[in-house]
Amino acid sequence: MIKNKLIKNAKKIDSFLLSYLKKQGKSLLSEPMKYGVIGGGKKIRSTIILDAGKIFNLNQKKLINICASVECIHSYSLIHDDLPCMDNDLFRRGKPSTHVKFGEASAVLAGNSLLTLAFEIIADKKFSINPKFKNELVKSLAFCSGHTGIAGGQELDLKFEKKKKSLRQIIEMQKKKTGKLFNFCFFSIGVLANRSKKEKMFLKNLGEEVGFLFQLADDFLDIKGQKKIVGKPIKKDDKKGKSTLITLMGYEKANKYANNLKKKILLKLKKHGKKAKDLSDTIEFILKRNF
Ligand code: GRG
């Protein structure tokens, strides 16, 4: 069952992060950081990394640093996304948002500290991989997180509010805001598996498509989901005038679009046969999930 797999992986990553933070020693930001990254969320990006690693027979233990680092970036983006100056959401992962619990300044600083922690975890001596691979990972993670990635996508998302945007513009925004971190997840597997430049490019693009599919599912949940199960406020995209595929083409057409995209992604994984079974199952889950 996919839910059990998610829980098992989340526990692994949480315990890695907990012991990493413990070794660093306590600070005033330890609690808001832990609150934001540990014990909440599906950790789906980690599951994607672990599943994709199976395609190339990678040692799962070697992937933990990458998973933890991606979860730090992701949680940082959620903490900042909920701030009053961004989406102003009071509820996340079934509990008060980090700024509601600890105050705005601490939430900003905890988010910033999770961003830097992500790079510390990749740079860690104990994460013993080829230094050339490490360079590639650091460069790509930075590219996918900054103005060329998540932050740039978020800026577009905020600027697009209450404006009529084209399909191309919405796809560009969502592929940056959500797709780029999935791009990194897939790319990192290509790096550790020492694949060719061409194959790493293929993996990056595939990851971005998976991330876009994930965002489409997130938009569907905003309309059809249940707040208690989703763990965050719903029906807010319409109120905020967000530009989504649903506002552009309506729910039914957007749903068809998402199903076609999912089929396209699964087809691309076919060449890997049985080794891609777990990843394909996770991609199926992405679109039909209710949380
Ligand atoms: C540069 C990292 C960074 C952040 C600053 C605030 C911001 C810029 C970006 C926000 C990006 C954002 C919130 C994208 C939405 C992605 C999305 C669908 C999040 C929900 O992910 P889930 O469902 O969440 O995986 P859980 O709670 O399960 O971890």
Side-chain angles (χ1 to χ4, degrees):
M1 253 266 276
I2 178 101
K3 268 191 194 167
N4 295 337
K5 176 169 82 172
L6 288 171
I7 293 168
K8 195 179 108 213
N9 290 341
K11 272 191 188 155
K12 246 195 279 186
I13 309 306
D14 278 355
S15 91
F16 175 94
L17 281 166
L18 205 58
S19 90
Y20 203 95
L21 282 166
K22 203 171 168 192
K23 271 188 220 138
Q24 287 190 318
K26 239 185 164 357
S27 81
L28 284 177
L29 291 172
S30 307
E31 284 313 310
M33 284 167 78
K34 279 194 243 166
Y35 185 82
V37 72
I38 294 167
K42 295 176 284 300
K43 306 271 189 304
I44 189 111
R45 291 155 190 79
S46 293
T47 289
I48 291 269
I49 292 167
L50 296 169
D51 286 347
K54 288 181 189 162
I55 295 179
F56 301 107
N57 303 318
L58 291 178
N59 178 348
Q60 298 269 298
K61 280 192 189 142
K62 281 256 178 211
L63 301 176
I64 299 298
N65 285 58
I66 298 182
C67 296
S69 145
V70 163
E71 295 301 341
C72 285
I73 299 272
H74 168 58
S75 293
Y76 149 50
S77 79
L78 297 183
I79 294 172
H80 282 200
D81 188 51
D82 291 336
L83 289 170
C85 62
M86 301 256 181
D87 279 358
N88 194 18
D89 282 325
L90 306 178
F91 198 64
R92 165 79 65 186
R93 293 176 170 169
K95 57 188 187 183
S97 308
T98 306
H99 70 275
V100 174
K101 175 93 175 164
F102 295 93
E104 234 176 290
S106 303
V108 169
L109 295 169
N112 293 347
S113 304
L114 285 171
L115 167 69
T116 51
L117 182 63
F119 288 94
E120 200 174 333
I121 289 172
I122 298 276
D124 201 295
K125 248 206 263 171
K126 283 196 191 129
F127 182 39
S128 57
I129 56 166
N130 182 333
K132 189 179 144 264
F133 294 170
K134 234 180 225 204
N135 265 354
E136 272 191 278
L137 293 180
V138 168
K139 177 141 194 310
S140 172
L141 189 58
F143 185 84
C144 290
S145 305
H147 71 109
T148 43
I150 309 173
Q154 174 77 350
E155 177 74 357
L156 289 173
D157 181 75
L158 296 167
K159 291 286 183 300
F160 284 4
E161 281 182 6
K162 299 189 176 67
K163 298 214 173 77
K164 181 134 182 61
K165 292 290 158 188
S166 67
L167 179 64
R168 189 191 56 77
Q169 287 172 309
I170 296 172
I171 293 177
E172 187 209 344
M173 176 269 283
Q174 296 199 330
K175 278 197 172 174
K176 272 186 161 185
K177 184 180 83 157
T178 311
K180 281 285 191 253
L181 199 53
F182 285 84
N183 164 322
F184 175 77
C185 294
F186 278 75
F187 173 73
S188 66
I189 292 302
V191 170
L192 288 200
N194 202 13
R195 306 316 285 183
S196 67
K197 219 173 169 183
K198 193 174 158 205
E199 198 162 353
K200 282 186 283 193
M201 187 58 81
F202 169 84
L203 288 166
K204 276 181 179 191
N205 290 331
L206 187 61
E208 217 156 293
E209 286 179 341
V210 172
F212 179 39
L213 183 72
F214 187 84
Q215 181 60 55
L216 293 176
D218 200 69
D219 295 342
F220 298 142
L221 282 177
D222 182 70
I223 294 190
K224 296 259 165 96
Q226 284 175 265
K227 185 180 168 187
K228 253 198 163 160
I229 301 176
V230 183
K232 61 182 180 182
I234 54 158
K235 304 212 186 327
K236 56 186 175 56
D237 287 351
D238 194 39
K239 272 183 231 150
K240 288 177 181 158
K242 290 282 184 197
S243 283
T244 68
L245 242 61
I246 304 171
T247 55
L248 184 77
M249 57 176 76
Y251 191 93
E252 289 314 318
K253 270 196 180 163
N255 199 252
K256 261 198 190 141
Y257 185 100
N259 271 292
N260 284 334
L261 176 62
K262 184 194 77 180
K263 278 186 204 146
K264 207 175 110 190
I265 293 167
L266 292 176
L267 205 63
K268 286 186 184 174
L269 285 174
K270 263 218 155 124
K271 65 176 180 185
H272 294 294
K274 277 188 193 154
K275 285 187 175 170
K277 163 99 176 61
D278 283 358
L279 183 57
S280 300
D281 289 349
T282 303
I283 286 161
E284 287 282 1
F285 163 79
I286 281 182
L287 195 54
K288 59 172 188 253
R289 69 201 168 96
N290 64 351
F291 67 102

